[in-house]
Amino acid sequence: MSSKILIIGACGQIGSELTYKLRNLFGDDNVVASDINTSNLDISNTGIFEIVDAQDFTSVKNCVEKHHVDTVYLMAAMLSATGEKFPEKAWNLNMNSLFHVLNLAKDKIIKKIFWPSSIAVFGPTTPTKYTPQYTTTEPTTVYGITKQVGERWCEYYFNKYHVDVRSIRYPGIISWKTLPGGGTTDYAVEIYHEAVKTKQYECFLKADTELPMMFMDDAIKATVDIMMAKPEDIKIRSSYNLAAISFTPQQVAASIKKHIPDFEVVYTPDFRQDIANSWPKSINDSYARQDWKWKHTFLLEDITQEMLFQLGKKYNTISKTPQ
Ligand code: AKB
């Protein structure tokens, strides 16, 4: 019998692309997409879709039982920037939803969980360059605190109750299908949209703010790969460091200018600058590369080409194929 998958938070930036990928890999009948509302019609109108409130245990459990789900991808979360505006809401959403799925697995109602962590688990006392897997984690954002504590709980449920939970620490994710919402790394998506639409962008981070980033296709590949790996190969049950590339706003702007020479960026840092300053500039992900053979594909120039091509089609500003 094939596995039955539930994605919670399927309308969001990563959830939506994960839904397309999992439907593709396992068939539309084996993938249940869910979210708190139908904000992404491309997801809710194109396959099995349920309204699920990730904070409500009964809502999650009913959906799991109705569809005989054995694997849950918990993608619902409040991200770093929004979390600073609504600390208690961020705590409640990020922690309650995690406990609900961990407890469903503890009670053997589901078998396997994917839960995303983030580079936000790191803080100002963490070494910023090539940040190791095991190091000081003193996050300064509520989002980071929920991810750090969540990692501890994942490992605890694995050790105490043999819950098969797998996790990666996502860097900033760049994609063109669904906009991100409420993160500090969102500038790296917005900049492409504005380059294509208006040839101008006001960046909320300083020009030289270096952060770890990854193209969506690589992030989805990592997510699927860690979930398909043999249980014995998943040696870290808190969360794996994961890396692809690192760049600054100035570097993305320069790579866009190669294609759109009159693109202009002004830098007006806001409260998100402090968050970015507290995060690593680059990540050492050697455990992921060793344990489950993680390898990234997309470099900055590849990402720029693909983003400008896809957004050009979306906004009707180009008709040529990428070189
Ligand atoms: C954010 O910026 O909050 C997220 C993240 C790095 O987890 N994209």
Side-chain angles (χ1 to χ4, degrees):
M1 206 177 73
S2 61
S3 164
K4 204 73 190 280
I5 294 167
L6 170 65
I7 301 142
I8 300 175
C11 290
Q13 187 201 13
I14 307 178
S16 58
E17 301 226 18
L18 192 57
T19 302
Y20 299 130
K21 183 69 182 184
L22 295 174
R23 282 178 180 164
N24 218 292
L25 283 174
F26 300 107
D28 290 358
D29 293 346
N30 293 315
V31 178
V32 180
S34 77
D35 213 306
I36 187 84
N37 57 38
T38 53
S39 60
N40 189 334
L41 295 179
D42 286 341
I43 291 294
S44 55
N45 288 348
T46 54
I48 307 172
F49 183 84
E50 296 279 356
I51 296 286
V52 169
D53 178 356
Q55 293 202 63
D56 177 354
F57 181 71
T58 311
S59 171
V60 178
K61 186 167 178 245
N62 285 349
C63 182
V64 161
E65 287 178 342
K66 176 175 167 190
H67 293 280
H68 309 287
V69 165
D70 54 50
T71 302
V72 173
Y73 290 74
L74 174 56
M75 308 311 287
M78 193 179 285
L79 300 187
S80 57
T82 311
E84 291 312 284
K85 293 184 182 149
F86 307 104
E88 212 174 311
K89 278 192 184 155
W91 174 262
N92 288 338
L93 170 60
N94 297 359
M95 297 314 302
N96 291 342
S97 57
L98 175 60
F99 276 120
H100 296 337
V101 292
L102 286 175
N103 285 328
L104 285 172
K106 177 185 164 202
D107 294 343
K108 311 254 177 286
I109 297 170
I110 57 172
K111 289 194 188 125
K112 208 168 170 183
I113 299 167
F114 176 80
W115 175 77
S117 185
S118 160
I119 53 164
V121 295
F122 301 115
T125 52
T126 304
T128 56
K129 288 251 175 206
Y130 213 47
T131 301
Q133 174 72 36
Y134 300 105
T135 185
T136 313
T137 52
E138 295 185 319
T140 50
T141 61
V142 177
Y143 172 65
I145 295 169
T146 64
K147 291 300 176 188
Q148 183 208 37
V149 174
E151 287 188 5
R152 297 290 86 229
W153 278 111
C154 287
E155 194 183 88
Y156 185 89
Y157 270 66
F158 173 76
N159 286 335
K160 288 267 169 180
Y161 311 120
H162 312 293
V163 166
D164 188 356
V165 54
R166 303 169 184 212
S167 176
I168 49 194
R169 292 170 173 159
Y170 286 130
I173 307 294
I174 301 156
S175 67
W176 54 270
K177 283 190 190 142
T178 308
L179 281 168
T184 303
T185 57
D186 292 9
Y187 92 84
V189 177
E190 291 171 8
I191 195 168
Y192 287 105
H193 282 259
E194 292 310 313
V196 171
K197 281 197 292 187
T198 64
K199 299 188 180 177
Q200 289 174 350
Y201 180 59
E202 185 175 359
C203 184
F204 58 75
L205 296 182
K206 285 193 207 152
D208 61 351
T209 313
E210 186 178 1
L211 287 170
M213 298 280 181
M214 180 177 291
F215 194 49
M216 179 63 87
D217 297 36
D218 276 337
I220 296 296
K221 182 180 180 301
T223 309
V224 171
D225 284 358
I226 194 174
M227 287 298 272
M228 304 283 271
K230 289 194 282 238
E232 59 273 24
D233 289 341
I234 306 302
K235 303 201 170 76
I236 296 174
R237 292 295 182 153
S238 51
S239 191
Y240 276 92
N241 272 9
L242 190 76
I245 52 174
S246 286
F247 57 71
T248 65
Q250 208 164 31
Q251 287 167 331
V252 202
S255 98
I256 294 174
K257 265 173 167 287
K258 287 185 196 158
H259 303 259
I260 307 175
D262 49 348
F263 177 51
E264 297 288 345
V265 183
V266 291
Y267 298 93
T268 317
D270 66 14
F271 73 99
R272 289 168 280 194
Q273 186 65 48
D274 284 344
I275 301 178
N277 289 347
S278 77
W279 288 352
K281 296 184 194 310
S282 57
I283 299 285
N284 177 341
D285 62 352
S286 50
Y287 285 95
R289 288 176 193 263
Q290 194 182 293
D291 291 358
W292 42 278
K293 313 294 168 234
W294 156 245
K295 214 161 137 254
H296 71 279
T297 302
F298 288 82
L299 303 179
L300 178 56
E301 288 311 320
D302 309 317
I303 297 174
T304 296
Q305 266 193 28
E306 185 65 7
M307 289 295 284
L308 295 181
F309 173 66
Q310 296 296 348
L311 293 174
K313 280 201 294 188
K314 186 178 173 128
Y315 295 118
N316 249 325
T317 55
I318 54 158
S319 55
K320 59 180 184 173
T321 46
Q323 303 91 38

